[in-house]
Amino acid sequence: MTPAQLRAFAATVRLGSVKAAAADLEVSEAAVSMHIAHLRKELGDRLFTRTANGLAFTPGGLRLASRAAEMLGLQDRTILEVREAGSGRRMLRIAGSALFAEHAAPGLIELFAGRADDLDVELSVHEPQDFAPLLLTRAVDVAIGPRPAVVDDALSCTPFLNYQVIAVVGRDHPLAAGGVTAAELRDQTWLLGPSAVGRTGMVPAVLRRLGVPEHNQRIFQSHAAALDEAKHGKGVALAVAFAVAKDLAAKDLCRLAGPALPLRGSWNLLALKDRDVSPVAAELRRFVTTPRAIQAMLRGAGVTAGRFRPAVHVTLWS
Protein backbone atom coordinates (compact mmCIF):
# COMPACT_ATOMS: atom_id res chain seq x y z
CA MET A 1 0.00 0.00 0.00
CA THR A 2 1.30 3.44 -0.93
CA PRO A 3 0.36 6.78 0.63
CA ALA A 4 -1.23 7.87 -2.66
CA GLN A 5 -3.48 4.79 -2.63
CA LEU A 6 -4.48 5.35 0.99
CA ARG A 7 -5.21 9.03 0.36
CA ALA A 8 -7.43 8.15 -2.60
CA PHE A 9 -9.36 5.61 -0.55
CA ALA A 10 -9.64 7.87 2.52
CA ALA A 11 -10.95 10.74 0.39
CA THR A 12 -13.50 8.42 -1.24
CA VAL A 13 -14.72 7.31 2.19
CA ARG A 14 -14.87 10.85 3.54
CA LEU A 15 -16.62 12.41 0.53
CA GLY A 16 -18.77 9.48 -0.55
CA SER A 17 -17.77 9.20 -4.20
CA VAL A 18 -14.80 8.72 -6.49
CA LYS A 19 -15.70 11.92 -8.37
CA ALA A 20 -15.67 14.03 -5.21
CA ALA A 21 -12.43 12.39 -4.04
CA ALA A 22 -10.75 13.18 -7.37
CA ALA A 23 -11.82 16.83 -7.14
CA ASP A 24 -10.59 17.08 -3.56
CA LEU A 25 -7.21 15.54 -4.41
CA GLU A 26 -6.99 17.49 -7.68
CA VAL A 27 -6.42 14.37 -9.75
CA SER A 28 -8.47 12.54 -12.37
CA GLU A 29 -11.23 10.09 -11.50
CA ALA A 30 -9.24 7.45 -13.38
CA ALA A 31 -6.29 7.98 -11.02
CA VAL A 32 -8.48 7.50 -7.92
CA SER A 33 -10.10 4.41 -9.43
CA MET A 34 -6.66 2.98 -10.27
CA HIS A 35 -5.41 3.48 -6.68
CA ILE A 36 -8.50 1.77 -5.28
CA ALA A 37 -8.18 -1.08 -7.76
CA HIS A 38 -4.61 -1.68 -6.57
CA LEU A 39 -5.77 -1.79 -2.96
CA ARG A 40 -8.54 -4.23 -3.82
CA LYS A 41 -6.09 -6.53 -5.57
CA GLU A 42 -3.45 -6.37 -2.82
CA LEU A 43 -5.92 -6.87 0.03
CA GLY A 44 -8.23 -9.30 -1.71
CA ASP A 45 -11.32 -7.31 -0.72
CA ARG A 46 -13.89 -5.35 -2.74
CA LEU A 47 -13.73 -2.60 -0.05
CA PHE A 48 -17.01 -1.06 -1.26
CA THR A 49 -19.73 -1.36 -3.88
CA ARG A 50 -21.86 1.31 -5.52
CA THR A 51 -25.58 1.33 -4.69
CA ALA A 52 -28.49 3.64 -5.48
CA ASN A 53 -27.92 5.32 -2.12
CA GLY A 54 -24.17 5.78 -2.53
CA LEU A 55 -21.24 3.58 -1.49
CA ALA A 56 -21.73 0.47 0.65
CA PHE A 57 -18.50 -0.54 2.42
CA THR A 58 -17.51 -4.08 3.26
CA PRO A 59 -16.31 -4.89 6.79
CA GLY A 60 -12.78 -4.88 5.40
CA GLY A 61 -13.37 -1.53 3.71
CA LEU A 62 -14.52 0.00 7.00
CA ARG A 63 -11.45 -1.36 8.77
CA LEU A 64 -9.17 0.05 6.06
CA ALA A 65 -10.90 3.43 6.29
CA SER A 66 -9.98 3.67 9.97
CA ARG A 67 -6.42 2.45 9.45
CA ALA A 68 -5.85 4.71 6.42
CA ALA A 69 -6.61 7.82 8.48
CA GLU A 70 -4.24 6.64 11.22
CA MET A 71 -1.41 5.77 8.83
CA LEU A 72 -1.69 8.99 6.84
CA GLY A 73 -1.79 11.00 10.04
CA LEU A 74 1.30 9.21 11.32
CA GLN A 75 3.07 9.85 8.04
CA ASP A 76 2.28 13.57 8.20
CA ARG A 77 3.37 13.71 11.82
CA THR A 78 6.65 11.94 11.02
CA ILE A 79 7.40 14.35 8.19
CA LEU A 80 6.77 17.28 10.53
CA GLU A 81 8.97 15.83 13.28
CA VAL A 82 11.82 15.15 10.87
CA ARG A 83 11.63 18.72 9.55
CA GLU A 84 11.52 20.06 13.11
CA ALA A 85 14.58 18.02 14.05
CA GLY A 86 16.45 19.29 11.02
CA SER A 87 15.58 22.94 11.62
CA GLY A 88 16.00 22.85 15.39
CA ARG A 89 12.45 24.18 15.90
CA ARG A 90 9.18 22.73 17.11
CA MET A 91 5.69 23.48 15.79
CA LEU A 92 2.42 23.41 17.73
CA ARG A 93 -0.69 23.48 15.55
CA ILE A 94 -3.85 24.60 17.34
CA ALA A 95 -7.38 24.43 15.94
CA GLY A 96 -9.67 26.85 17.76
CA SER A 97 -13.29 27.92 17.69
CA ALA A 98 -13.85 31.50 16.52
CA LEU A 99 -14.69 32.82 20.00
CA PHE A 100 -11.63 31.24 21.61
CA ALA A 101 -9.32 32.30 18.76
CA GLU A 102 -10.19 35.96 19.10
CA HIS A 103 -10.69 36.40 22.83
CA ALA A 104 -8.45 33.93 24.67
CA ALA A 105 -5.91 32.48 22.23
CA PRO A 106 -3.64 35.56 21.93
CA GLY A 107 -2.83 35.72 25.63
CA LEU A 108 -2.36 31.96 25.92
CA ILE A 109 -0.13 31.71 22.84
CA GLU A 110 2.03 34.66 23.79
CA LEU A 111 2.70 33.26 27.26
CA PHE A 112 3.14 29.62 26.20
CA ALA A 113 5.34 30.31 23.17
CA GLY A 114 7.43 32.80 25.14
CA ARG A 115 8.59 30.03 27.43
CA ALA A 116 10.65 28.38 24.67
CA ASP A 117 12.77 30.03 21.97
CA ASP A 118 12.47 27.02 19.65
CA LEU A 119 8.67 26.90 19.53
CA ASP A 120 6.35 28.26 16.82
CA VAL A 121 2.58 28.19 17.26
CA GLU A 122 0.10 28.09 14.39
CA LEU A 123 -3.57 28.82 15.07
CA SER A 124 -6.38 28.07 12.62
CA VAL A 125 -10.12 28.56 13.12
CA HIS A 126 -12.47 25.63 12.56
CA GLU A 127 -16.00 24.53 13.32
CA PRO A 128 -16.08 22.47 16.56
CA GLN A 129 -17.58 19.47 14.76
CA ASP A 130 -14.37 19.27 12.70
CA PHE A 131 -12.09 18.98 15.75
CA ALA A 132 -12.14 15.17 16.06
CA PRO A 133 -11.28 14.46 12.38
CA LEU A 134 -8.50 17.06 12.47
CA LEU A 135 -6.97 15.47 15.56
CA LEU A 136 -7.41 11.86 14.49
CA THR A 137 -5.73 12.55 11.14
CA ARG A 138 -3.03 14.57 12.96
CA ALA A 139 -3.75 17.66 10.90
CA VAL A 140 -3.54 19.60 14.18
CA ASP A 141 -1.98 18.82 17.56
CA VAL A 142 -4.71 20.23 19.82
CA ALA A 143 -8.19 21.67 19.38
CA ILE A 144 -9.75 24.21 21.73
CA GLY A 145 -13.41 25.15 21.93
CA PRO A 146 -16.71 23.90 23.34
CA ARG A 147 -16.88 20.35 24.65
CA PRO A 148 -18.24 17.95 22.01
CA ALA A 149 -21.49 16.14 22.75
CA VAL A 150 -19.53 12.89 22.34
CA VAL A 151 -15.76 12.66 22.89
CA ASP A 152 -14.02 10.06 20.72
CA ASP A 153 -12.39 7.25 22.71
CA ALA A 154 -9.01 8.15 21.20
CA LEU A 155 -9.18 11.73 22.51
CA SER A 156 -8.79 13.38 25.90
CA CYS A 157 -10.86 16.43 26.87
CA THR A 158 -9.55 18.94 29.43
CA PRO A 159 -11.89 21.77 30.53
CA PHE A 160 -10.04 24.89 31.62
CA LEU A 161 -12.09 28.12 31.39
CA ASN A 162 -15.77 28.97 31.92
CA TYR A 163 -17.19 32.09 30.30
CA GLN A 164 -20.45 33.94 29.61
CA VAL A 165 -21.83 35.32 26.36
CA ILE A 166 -23.84 38.51 26.95
CA ALA A 167 -25.73 40.99 24.78
CA VAL A 168 -24.53 44.60 24.78
CA VAL A 169 -25.49 47.91 23.17
CA GLY A 170 -23.97 51.39 23.08
CA ARG A 171 -24.94 53.76 25.87
CA ASP A 172 -27.09 55.85 23.49
CA HIS A 173 -29.03 52.89 22.11
CA PRO A 174 -32.80 52.88 22.92
CA LEU A 175 -32.54 49.49 24.66
CA ALA A 176 -29.84 50.72 27.05
CA ALA A 177 -32.51 52.14 29.37
CA GLY A 178 -33.72 48.86 30.87
CA GLY A 179 -34.94 45.27 30.48
CA VAL A 180 -35.99 43.96 27.09
CA THR A 181 -38.34 41.30 25.80
CA ALA A 182 -37.61 38.51 23.36
CA ALA A 183 -39.67 40.29 20.70
CA GLU A 184 -37.65 43.50 21.11
CA LEU A 185 -34.38 41.59 20.82
CA ARG A 186 -35.62 39.67 17.79
CA ASP A 187 -36.38 42.88 15.91
CA GLN A 188 -32.99 44.53 16.51
CA THR A 189 -30.04 44.70 14.15
CA TRP A 190 -27.52 42.16 15.44
CA LEU A 191 -23.83 42.95 14.99
CA LEU A 192 -21.96 39.65 14.97
CA GLY A 193 -18.45 38.26 14.62
CA PRO A 194 -17.37 35.26 12.53
CA SER A 195 -18.59 32.72 15.12
CA ALA A 196 -22.17 33.51 14.04
CA VAL A 197 -21.51 31.93 10.64
CA GLY A 198 -21.14 28.40 12.01
CA ARG A 199 -23.88 25.90 12.81
CA THR A 200 -22.68 25.17 16.34
CA GLY A 201 -21.41 27.18 19.28
CA MET A 202 -22.66 29.80 21.71
CA VAL A 203 -23.52 32.62 19.30
CA PRO A 204 -25.64 30.54 16.87
CA ALA A 205 -27.40 29.04 19.92
CA VAL A 206 -28.41 32.50 21.18
CA LEU A 207 -29.67 33.55 17.76
CA ARG A 208 -31.73 30.35 17.43
CA ARG A 209 -33.22 30.70 20.91
CA LEU A 210 -34.34 34.25 20.22
CA GLY A 211 -35.44 33.48 16.66
CA VAL A 212 -33.44 36.35 15.16
CA PRO A 213 -34.18 36.42 11.40
CA GLU A 214 -31.23 36.32 9.03
CA HIS A 215 -32.02 39.74 7.56
CA ASN A 216 -31.41 41.27 11.01
CA GLN A 217 -27.92 39.79 11.25
CA ARG A 218 -24.80 41.67 10.12
CA ILE A 219 -21.57 39.63 10.11
CA PHE A 220 -18.18 41.31 10.62
CA GLN A 221 -14.67 39.96 10.11
CA SER A 222 -14.05 40.05 13.88
CA HIS A 223 -16.00 40.33 17.10
CA ALA A 224 -14.05 43.51 17.89
CA ALA A 225 -15.37 45.15 14.72
CA ALA A 226 -18.94 44.20 15.66
CA LEU A 227 -18.47 45.66 19.18
CA ASP A 228 -17.11 48.88 17.74
CA GLU A 229 -20.30 49.28 15.71
CA ALA A 230 -22.36 48.55 18.84
CA LYS A 231 -20.58 51.35 20.72
CA HIS A 232 -21.85 53.74 18.06
CA GLY A 233 -25.44 52.66 18.62
CA LYS A 234 -25.77 50.63 15.42
CA GLY A 235 -27.32 47.57 17.06
CA VAL A 236 -26.95 44.69 19.53
CA ALA A 237 -23.71 42.74 19.80
CA LEU A 238 -22.91 39.46 21.53
CA ALA A 239 -19.71 39.45 23.55
CA VAL A 240 -17.69 37.30 25.91
CA ALA A 241 -18.26 38.96 29.29
CA PHE A 242 -14.62 39.19 30.40
CA ALA A 243 -13.60 40.72 27.06
CA VAL A 244 -15.92 43.74 27.50
CA ALA A 245 -15.53 44.27 31.26
CA LYS A 246 -13.62 47.54 30.79
CA ASP A 247 -16.15 48.87 28.27
CA LEU A 248 -19.00 48.06 30.65
CA ALA A 249 -17.20 49.73 33.55
CA ALA A 250 -16.59 52.84 31.42
CA LYS A 251 -20.25 52.73 30.28
CA ASP A 252 -19.23 52.69 26.63
CA LEU A 253 -21.37 49.54 26.44
CA CYS A 254 -24.48 48.54 28.38
CA ARG A 255 -25.40 44.96 29.19
CA LEU A 256 -28.89 43.79 28.25
CA ALA A 257 -30.91 41.55 30.57
CA GLY A 258 -33.28 39.45 28.53
CA PRO A 259 -34.51 35.93 27.80
CA ALA A 260 -31.90 33.34 26.77
CA LEU A 261 -29.16 35.59 28.15
CA PRO A 262 -26.54 35.26 29.43
CA LEU A 263 -25.43 31.95 27.97
CA ARG A 264 -22.73 30.05 29.85
CA GLY A 265 -20.10 27.89 28.23
CA SER A 266 -16.65 26.46 28.72
CA TRP A 267 -13.54 26.07 26.64
CA ASN A 268 -11.94 22.65 26.50
CA LEU A 269 -8.65 21.36 25.11
CA LEU A 270 -8.95 18.22 22.98
CA ALA A 271 -5.89 16.15 22.14
CA LEU A 272 -4.93 12.58 21.39
CA LYS A 273 -4.57 10.43 24.46
CA ASP A 274 -1.21 10.03 26.20
CA ARG A 275 0.06 7.22 23.99
CA ASP A 276 -0.27 9.26 20.80
CA VAL A 277 -0.13 12.90 21.87
CA SER A 278 2.90 14.93 20.80
CA PRO A 279 5.18 16.19 23.61
CA VAL A 280 4.42 19.87 22.95
CA ALA A 281 0.65 19.19 22.89
CA ALA A 282 0.93 17.33 26.20
CA GLU A 283 2.85 20.30 27.59
CA LEU A 284 0.11 22.73 26.53
CA ARG A 285 -2.54 20.44 28.01
CA ARG A 286 -0.83 20.68 31.39
CA PHE A 287 -0.13 24.40 31.08
CA VAL A 288 -3.60 25.56 30.02
CA THR A 289 -5.15 24.87 33.45
CA THR A 290 -2.55 26.82 35.44
CA PRO A 291 -3.43 30.18 37.07
CA ARG A 292 -0.83 31.96 34.89
CA ALA A 293 -2.42 30.64 31.71
CA ILE A 294 -5.94 31.53 32.84
CA GLN A 295 -4.88 35.06 33.74
CA ALA A 296 -3.12 35.48 30.39
CA MET A 297 -6.28 34.46 28.54
CA LEU A 298 -8.48 36.81 30.57
CA ARG A 299 -6.00 39.64 30.14
CA GLY A 300 -5.78 39.08 26.37
CA ALA A 301 -2.10 39.94 25.89
CA GLY A 302 -0.90 40.57 22.34
CA VAL A 303 1.47 38.28 20.52
CA THR A 304 4.71 38.85 18.69
CA ALA A 305 5.06 38.48 14.94
CA GLY A 306 6.07 34.98 13.93
CA ARG A 307 4.59 33.39 17.04
CA PHE A 308 0.95 33.56 16.07
CA ARG A 309 -0.52 33.27 12.62
CA PRO A 310 -4.19 34.28 12.91
CA ALA A 311 -6.82 33.07 10.52
CA VAL A 312 -8.33 35.37 7.92
CA HIS A 313 -12.14 35.39 7.82
CA VAL A 314 -13.88 36.15 4.56
CA THR A 315 -17.66 36.49 4.51
CA LEU A 316 -19.48 36.70 1.17
CA TRP A 317 -22.96 38.06 0.61
CA SER A 318 -25.02 37.39 -2.50
PDB file of all heavy atoms in Angstrom, residues 267-288:
ATOM      1  N   TRP A 267     -14.511  26.464  27.648  1.00  0.00           N
ATOM      2  CA  TRP A 267     -13.538  26.067  26.639  1.00  0.00           C
ATOM      3  C   TRP A 267     -12.789  24.842  27.134  1.00  0.00           C
ATOM      4  O   TRP A 267     -12.434  24.727  28.315  1.00  0.00           O
ATOM      5  CB  TRP A 267     -12.568  27.215  26.360  1.00  0.00           C
ATOM      6  CG  TRP A 267     -13.195  28.259  25.483  1.00  0.00           C
ATOM      7  CD1 TRP A 267     -13.939  28.047  24.364  1.00  0.00           C
ATOM      8  CD2 TRP A 267     -13.134  29.669  25.664  1.00  0.00           C
ATOM      9  NE1 TRP A 267     -14.344  29.247  23.820  1.00  0.00           N
ATOM     10  CE2 TRP A 267     -13.868  30.260  24.600  1.00  0.00           C
ATOM     11  CE3 TRP A 267     -12.518  30.507  26.599  1.00  0.00           C
ATOM     12  CZ2 TRP A 267     -14.017  31.628  24.449  1.00  0.00           C
ATOM     13  CZ3 TRP A 267     -12.667  31.884  26.454  1.00  0.00           C
ATOM     14  CH2 TRP A 267     -13.403  32.426  25.393  1.00  0.00           C
ATOM     15  N   ASN A 268     -12.559  23.933  26.199  1.00  0.00           N
ATOM     16  CA  ASN A 268     -11.937  22.648  26.499  1.00  0.00           C
ATOM     17  C   ASN A 268     -10.807  22.389  25.511  1.00  0.00           C
ATOM     18  O   ASN A 268     -10.898  22.785  24.341  1.00  0.00           O
ATOM     19  CB  ASN A 268     -12.963  21.516  26.382  1.00  0.00           C
ATOM     20  CG  ASN A 268     -14.146  21.710  27.303  1.00  0.00           C
ATOM     21  OD1 ASN A 268     -14.220  21.128  28.364  1.00  0.00           O
ATOM     22  ND2 ASN A 268     -15.102  22.536  26.878  1.00  0.00           N
ATOM     23  N   LEU A 269      -9.768  21.732  25.988  1.00  0.00           N
ATOM     24  CA  LEU A 269      -8.654  21.355  25.113  1.00  0.00           C
ATOM     25  C   LEU A 269      -8.786  19.880  24.773  1.00  0.00           C
ATOM     26  O   LEU A 269      -8.802  19.022  25.664  1.00  0.00           O
ATOM     27  CB  LEU A 269      -7.313  21.636  25.792  1.00  0.00           C
ATOM     28  CG  LEU A 269      -6.070  21.408  24.925  1.00  0.00           C
ATOM     29  CD1 LEU A 269      -4.973  22.394  25.296  1.00  0.00           C
ATOM     30  CD2 LEU A 269      -5.529  19.976  25.052  1.00  0.00           C
ATOM     31  N   LEU A 270      -8.879  19.590  23.486  1.00  0.00           N
ATOM     32  CA  LEU A 270      -8.949  18.221  22.984  1.00  0.00           C
ATOM     33  C   LEU A 270      -7.606  17.843  22.376  1.00  0.00           C
ATOM     34  O   LEU A 270      -7.000  18.639  21.660  1.00  0.00           O
ATOM     35  CB  LEU A 270     -10.032  18.089  21.916  1.00  0.00           C
ATOM     36  CG  LEU A 270     -11.475  18.277  22.373  1.00  0.00           C
ATOM     37  CD1 LEU A 270     -12.384  18.472  21.171  1.00  0.00           C
ATOM     38  CD2 LEU A 270     -11.941  17.091  23.192  1.00  0.00           C
ATOM     39  N   ALA A 271      -7.154  16.645  22.694  1.00  0.00           N
ATOM     40  CA  ALA A 271      -5.890  16.145  22.142  1.00  0.00           C
ATOM     41  C   ALA A 271      -5.956  14.628  22.108  1.00  0.00           C
ATOM     42  O   ALA A 271      -6.842  14.016  22.711  1.00  0.00           O
ATOM     43  CB  ALA A 271      -4.702  16.614  22.986  1.00  0.00           C
ATOM     44  N   LEU A 272      -5.045  14.024  21.361  1.00  0.00           N
ATOM     45  CA  LEU A 272      -4.926  12.579  21.391  1.00  0.00           C
ATOM     46  C   LEU A 272      -4.537  12.139  22.787  1.00  0.00           C
ATOM     47  O   LEU A 272      -3.925  12.891  23.552  1.00  0.00           O
ATOM     48  CB  LEU A 272      -3.883  12.112  20.376  1.00  0.00           C
ATOM     49  CG  LEU A 272      -4.211  12.388  18.899  1.00  0.00           C
ATOM     50  CD1 LEU A 272      -3.016  12.046  18.026  1.00  0.00           C
ATOM     51  CD2 LEU A 272      -5.434  11.606  18.458  1.00  0.00           C
ATOM     52  N   LYS A 273      -4.901  10.931  23.129  1.00  0.00           N
ATOM     53  CA  LYS A 273      -4.575  10.427  24.461  1.00  0.00           C
ATOM     54  C   LYS A 273      -3.070  10.221  24.610  1.00  0.00           C
ATOM     55  O   LYS A 273      -2.316  10.270  23.631  1.00  0.00           O
ATOM     56  CB  LYS A 273      -5.341   9.143  24.747  1.00  0.00           C
ATOM     57  CG  LYS A 273      -6.826   9.403  25.012  1.00  0.00           C
ATOM     58  CD  LYS A 273      -7.551   8.198  25.535  1.00  0.00           C
ATOM     59  CE  LYS A 273      -8.968   8.561  25.948  1.00  0.00           C
ATOM     60  NZ  LYS A 273      -9.731   7.381  26.400  1.00  0.00           N
ATOM     61  N   ASP A 274      -2.624   9.992  25.843  1.00  0.00           N
ATOM     62  CA  ASP A 274      -1.206  10.034  26.197  1.00  0.00           C
ATOM     63  C   ASP A 274      -0.306   9.219  25.281  1.00  0.00           C
ATOM     64  O   ASP A 274       0.806   9.620  24.978  1.00  0.00           O
ATOM     65  CB  ASP A 274      -1.016   9.553  27.643  1.00  0.00           C
ATOM     66  CG  ASP A 274      -1.594  10.543  28.638  1.00  0.00           C
ATOM     67  OD1 ASP A 274      -1.783  11.709  28.260  1.00  0.00           O
ATOM     68  OD2 ASP A 274      -1.881  10.147  29.773  1.00  0.00           O
ATOM     69  N   ARG A 275      -0.782   8.089  24.814  1.00  0.00           N
ATOM     70  CA  ARG A 275       0.059   7.215  23.991  1.00  0.00           C
ATOM     71  C   ARG A 275       0.423   7.863  22.663  1.00  0.00           C
ATOM     72  O   ARG A 275       1.503   7.613  22.113  1.00  0.00           O
ATOM     73  CB  ARG A 275      -0.676   5.887  23.743  1.00  0.00           C
ATOM     74  CG  ARG A 275       0.096   4.874  22.925  1.00  0.00           C
ATOM     75  CD  ARG A 275      -0.648   3.559  22.894  1.00  0.00           C
ATOM     76  NE  ARG A 275      -1.978   3.712  22.326  1.00  0.00           N
ATOM     77  CZ  ARG A 275      -2.245   3.651  21.018  1.00  0.00           C
ATOM     78  NH1 ARG A 275      -1.270   3.476  20.157  1.00  0.00           N
ATOM     79  NH2 ARG A 275      -3.487   3.777  20.578  1.00  0.00           N
ATOM     80  N   ASP A 276      -0.475   8.709  22.139  1.00  0.00           N
ATOM     81  CA  ASP A 276      -0.274   9.259  20.800  1.00  0.00           C
ATOM     82  C   ASP A 276      -0.025  10.759  20.768  1.00  0.00           C
ATOM     83  O   ASP A 276       0.357  11.295  19.725  1.00  0.00           O
ATOM     84  CB  ASP A 276      -1.508   8.957  19.929  1.00  0.00           C
ATOM     85  CG  ASP A 276      -1.743   7.463  19.763  1.00  0.00           C
ATOM     86  OD1 ASP A 276      -0.762   6.754  19.468  1.00  0.00           O
ATOM     87  OD2 ASP A 276      -2.885   7.017  19.943  1.00  0.00           O
ATOM     88  N   VAL A 277      -0.234  11.449  21.878  1.00  0.00           N
ATOM     89  CA  VAL A 277      -0.129  12.904  21.866  1.00  0.00           C
ATOM     90  C   VAL A 277       1.329  13.336  21.696  1.00  0.00           C
ATOM     91  O   VAL A 277       2.250  12.687  22.209  1.00  0.00           O
ATOM     92  CB  VAL A 277      -0.723  13.490  23.163  1.00  0.00           C
ATOM     93  CG1 VAL A 277       0.126  13.140  24.373  1.00  0.00           C
ATOM     94  CG2 VAL A 277      -0.907  14.992  23.042  1.00  0.00           C
ATOM     95  N   SER A 278       1.544  14.419  20.963  1.00  0.00           N
ATOM     96  CA  SER A 278       2.903  14.934  20.798  1.00  0.00           C
ATOM     97  C   SER A 278       3.363  15.573  22.100  1.00  0.00           C
ATOM     98  O   SER A 278       2.547  16.062  22.887  1.00  0.00           O
ATOM     99  CB  SER A 278       2.954  15.959  19.663  1.00  0.00           C
ATOM    100  OG  SER A 278       2.229  17.130  20.021  1.00  0.00           O
ATOM    101  N   PRO A 279       4.676  15.610  22.355  1.00  0.00           N
ATOM    102  CA  PRO A 279       5.179  16.190  23.607  1.00  0.00           C
ATOM    103  C   PRO A 279       4.743  17.631  23.825  1.00  0.00           C
ATOM    104  O   PRO A 279       4.372  18.026  24.927  1.00  0.00           O
ATOM    105  CB  PRO A 279       6.696  16.071  23.468  1.00  0.00           C
ATOM    106  CG  PRO A 279       6.908  14.910  22.552  1.00  0.00           C
ATOM    107  CD  PRO A 279       5.770  14.979  21.577  1.00  0.00           C
ATOM    108  N   VAL A 280       4.768  18.461  22.770  1.00  0.00           N
ATOM    109  CA  VAL A 280       4.420  19.871  22.950  1.00  0.00           C
ATOM    110  C   VAL A 280       2.922  20.027  23.199  1.00  0.00           C
ATOM    111  O   VAL A 280       2.494  20.914  23.948  1.00  0.00           O
ATOM    112  CB  VAL A 280       4.874  20.697  21.729  1.00  0.00           C
ATOM    113  CG1 VAL A 280       4.087  20.359  20.475  1.00  0.00           C
ATOM    114  CG2 VAL A 280       4.789  22.193  22.038  1.00  0.00           C
ATOM    115  N   ALA A 281       2.087  19.154  22.613  1.00  0.00           N
ATOM    116  CA  ALA A 281       0.652  19.194  22.886  1.00  0.00           C
ATOM    117  C   ALA A 281       0.370  18.775  24.321  1.00  0.00           C
ATOM    118  O   ALA A 281      -0.486  19.368  24.995  1.00  0.00           O
ATOM    119  CB  ALA A 281      -0.096  18.291  21.909  1.00  0.00           C
ATOM    120  N   ALA A 282       1.091  17.760  24.804  1.00  0.00           N
ATOM    121  CA  ALA A 282       0.931  17.334  26.197  1.00  0.00           C
ATOM    122  C   ALA A 282       1.360  18.450  27.148  1.00  0.00           C
ATOM    123  O   ALA A 282       0.749  18.654  28.209  1.00  0.00           O
ATOM    124  CB  ALA A 282       1.747  16.070  26.452  1.00  0.00           C
ATOM    125  N   GLU A 283       2.384  19.183  26.760  1.00  0.00           N
ATOM    126  CA  GLU A 283       2.853  20.297  27.587  1.00  0.00           C
ATOM    127  C   GLU A 283       1.793  21.393  27.664  1.00  0.00           C
ATOM    128  O   GLU A 283       1.531  21.952  28.740  1.00  0.00           O
ATOM    129  CB  GLU A 283       4.149  20.849  27.001  1.00  0.00           C
ATOM    130  CG  GLU A 283       4.785  21.946  27.833  1.00  0.00           C
ATOM    131  CD  GLU A 283       6.061  22.476  27.204  1.00  0.00           C
ATOM    132  OE1 GLU A 283       6.541  21.879  26.222  1.00  0.00           O
ATOM    133  OE2 GLU A 283       6.561  23.510  27.701  1.00  0.00           O
ATOM    134  N   LEU A 284       1.158  21.721  26.527  1.00  0.00           N
ATOM    135  CA  LEU A 284       0.114  22.731  26.530  1.00  0.00           C
ATOM    136  C   LEU A 284      -1.092  22.265  27.345  1.00  0.00           C
ATOM    137  O   LEU A 284      -1.715  23.058  28.057  1.00  0.00           O
ATOM    138  CB  LEU A 284      -0.325  23.060  25.108  1.00  0.00           C
ATOM    139  CG  LEU A 284      -1.453  24.096  24.989  1.00  0.00           C
ATOM    140  CD1 LEU A 284      -0.996  25.450  25.525  1.00  0.00           C
ATOM    141  CD2 LEU A 284      -1.928  24.226  23.553  1.00  0.00           C
ATOM    142  N   ARG A 285      -1.410  20.985  27.258  1.00  0.00           N
ATOM    143  CA  ARG A 285      -2.540  20.442  28.012  1.00  0.00           C
ATOM    144  C   ARG A 285      -2.342  20.624  29.513  1.00  0.00           C
ATOM    145  O   ARG A 285      -3.281  20.926  30.245  1.00  0.00           O
ATOM    146  CB  ARG A 285      -2.736  18.956  27.671  1.00  0.00           C
ATOM    147  CG  ARG A 285      -3.959  18.324  28.299  1.00  0.00           C
ATOM    148  CD  ARG A 285      -4.216  16.946  27.721  1.00  0.00           C
ATOM    149  NE  ARG A 285      -3.076  16.059  27.900  1.00  0.00           N
ATOM    150  CZ  ARG A 285      -2.960  14.866  27.322  1.00  0.00           C
ATOM    151  NH1 ARG A 285      -3.911  14.441  26.498  1.00  0.00           N
ATOM    152  NH2 ARG A 285      -1.911  14.115  27.536  1.00  0.00           N
ATOM    153  N   ARG A 286      -1.121  20.447  29.968  1.00  0.00           N
ATOM    154  CA  ARG A 286      -0.826  20.678  31.388  1.00  0.00           C
ATOM    155  C   ARG A 286      -0.843  22.165  31.713  1.00  0.00           C
ATOM    156  O   ARG A 286      -1.347  22.584  32.750  1.00  0.00           O
ATOM    157  CB  ARG A 286       0.540  20.082  31.744  1.00  0.00           C
ATOM    158  CG  ARG A 286       0.599  18.570  31.714  1.00  0.00           C
ATOM    159  CD  ARG A 286       1.911  18.063  32.287  1.00  0.00           C
ATOM    160  NE  ARG A 286       3.064  18.507  31.499  1.00  0.00           N
ATOM    161  CZ  ARG A 286       3.573  17.807  30.501  1.00  0.00           C
ATOM    162  NH1 ARG A 286       3.032  16.660  30.144  1.00  0.00           N
ATOM    163  NH2 ARG A 286       4.629  18.267  29.830  1.00  0.00           N
ATOM    164  N   PHE A 287      -0.307  22.975  30.813  1.00  0.00           N
ATOM    165  CA  PHE A 287      -0.128  24.398  31.076  1.00  0.00           C
ATOM    166  C   PHE A 287      -1.442  25.171  31.087  1.00  0.00           C
ATOM    167  O   PHE A 287      -1.613  26.131  31.848  1.00  0.00           O
ATOM    168  CB  PHE A 287       0.815  24.984  30.027  1.00  0.00           C
ATOM    169  CG  PHE A 287       1.078  26.444  30.181  1.00  0.00           C
ATOM    170  CD1 PHE A 287       1.908  26.919  31.183  1.00  0.00           C
ATOM    171  CD2 PHE A 287       0.499  27.364  29.305  1.00  0.00           C
ATOM    172  CE1 PHE A 287       2.155  28.281  31.327  1.00  0.00           C
ATOM    173  CE2 PHE A 287       0.742  28.721  29.439  1.00  0.00           C
ATOM    174  CZ  PHE A 287       1.574  29.177  30.459  1.00  0.00           C
ATOM    175  N   VAL A 288      -2.408  24.751  30.256  1.00  0.00           N
ATOM    176  CA  VAL A 288      -3.599  25.559  30.016  1.00  0.00           C
ATOM    177  C   VAL A 288      -4.473  25.698  31.265  1.00  0.00           C
ATOM    178  O   VAL A 288      -5.262  26.643  31.376  1.00  0.00           O
ATOM    179  CB  VAL A 288      -4.403  24.958  28.839  1.00  0.00           C
ATOM    180  CG1 VAL A 288      -5.159  23.704  29.269  1.00  0.00           C
ATOM    181  CG2 VAL A 288      -5.360  25.981  28.241  1.00  0.00           C
TER     182      VAL A 288
END
